[in-house]
Amino acid sequence: MEQFKNSLVEAIENTNEEFVTPSREYTKNDLVFMAGYKQALQDMLEDFTEDYDKFLNELIKQSLN
């Protein structure tokens, strides 16, 4: 699970880096796509973190019972 989270963080960082220092010239459509991709990754990371924390809390509660 932690590896998945790290993969999301790395993908977000790589996309941010590509915005700052592009490896090639992008069209406006490319930039719009990249911005949407970055937002989707950020949303996934936020949801994953929230859901994973809830999962761990429930797991601990069940283990204590």
Side-chain angles (χ1 to χ4, degrees):
M1 292 288 195
E2 200 63 34
Q3 187 175 0
F4 177 71
K5 183 177 180 179
N6 291 340
S7 295
L8 286 174
V9 170
E10 184 179 333
I12 292 167
E13 289 171 353
N14 289 343
T15 305
N16 285 337
E17 187 176 310
E18 192 63 27
F19 274 116
V20 174
T21 323
S23 61
R24 65 180 181 87
E25 194 171 320
Y26 292 102
T27 66
K28 286 187 180 188
N29 285 340
D30 291 336
L31 294 173
V32 168
F33 176 82
M34 288 170 56
Y37 174 70
K38 177 182 157 187
Q39 185 62 52
L41 290 172
Q42 290 172 328
D43 291 346
M44 286 175 57
L45 179 61
E46 183 180 319
D47 290 345
F48 174 79
T49 301
E50 184 179 313
D51 291 346
Y52 189 60
D53 289 345
K54 286 179 186 176
F55 168 76
L56 290 178
N57 286 333
E58 289 297 316
L59 186 64
I60 292 169
K61 285 179 187 176
Q62 289 178 2
S63 295
L64 293 175
N65 289 332

